Amino acid sequence: MGQISNVVIIFNPEKLTDLRRALKEVGLSGMTVTRVDGNGLQGGTVRYYSDDKVEVDLLPKIKVEVIVPGDKVEEVIDVTKKVLKTSETGAGKIFVYDVSRVIRISTDDEGLDALNS
């Protein structure tokens, strides 16, 4: 079985359509998308509700997970950086994890066959 990775991308919601389009263009159609709240170096923000100052320290983010063969990881990272990169703090993060086993339930295929069939 070849190397398989889980690439997790956390970023601002307004870039989701652009990222999905770019990943599809490089041949990745399967992904899991989750709406999450979080913060990093940028911290939170201050909002006003009925003249009351409210500090919001968790901001809306999108988390995309794609499971890819090891030889596609750098391509996914490059495309993601191209789409999401800004000069602003809070543009997002990319995490890459090794996947020890993948099984396609409908066919019992495992490993790369489970990704490609």
Side-chain angles (χ1 to χ4, degrees), residues 3-20:
Q3 174 68 31
I4 299 173
S5 294
N6 180 11
V7 180
V8 177
I9 309 156
I10 300 175
F11 58 98
N12 293 318
E14 64 271 6
K15 297 282 192 165
L16 178 59
T17 300
D18 294 339
L19 182 62
R20 286 183 63 205

Side-chain angles (χ1 to χ4, degrees), residues 11 56 96 110:
F11 58 98
V56 179
V96 180
E110 294 201 29

Side-chain angles (χ1 to χ4, degrees), residues 3-9 16-33 64-81 83 94-96 104 112 114-117:
Q3 174 68 31
I4 299 173
S5 294
N6 180 11
V7 180
V8 177
I9 309 156
L16 178 59
T17 300
D18 294 339
L19 182 62
R20 286 183 63 205
R21 186 178 299 120
L23 291 174
K24 191 171 185 175
E25 286 175 7
V26 297
L28 296 175
S29 58
M31 66 180 63
T32 300
V33 178
V64 168
E65 296 183 64
V66 291
I67 307 298
V68 297
D71 62 351
K72 295 282 274 184
V73 171
E74 289 306 316
E75 185 175 20
V76 169
I77 291 170
D78 291 344
V79 165
T80 299
K81 289 189 326 187
V83 170
I94 302 169
F95 303 90
V96 180
R104 181 179 295 269
L112 293 175
L115 295 180
N116 300 325
S117 59

Side-chain angles (χ1 to χ4, degrees), residues 86-105:
T86 69
S87 60
E88 302 291 320
T89 300
K93 294 267 190 321
I94 302 169
F95 303 90
V96 180
Y97 304 95
D98 291 338
V99 174
S100 63
R101 194 168 179 195
V102 177
I103 303 160
R104 181 179 295 269
I105 295 171

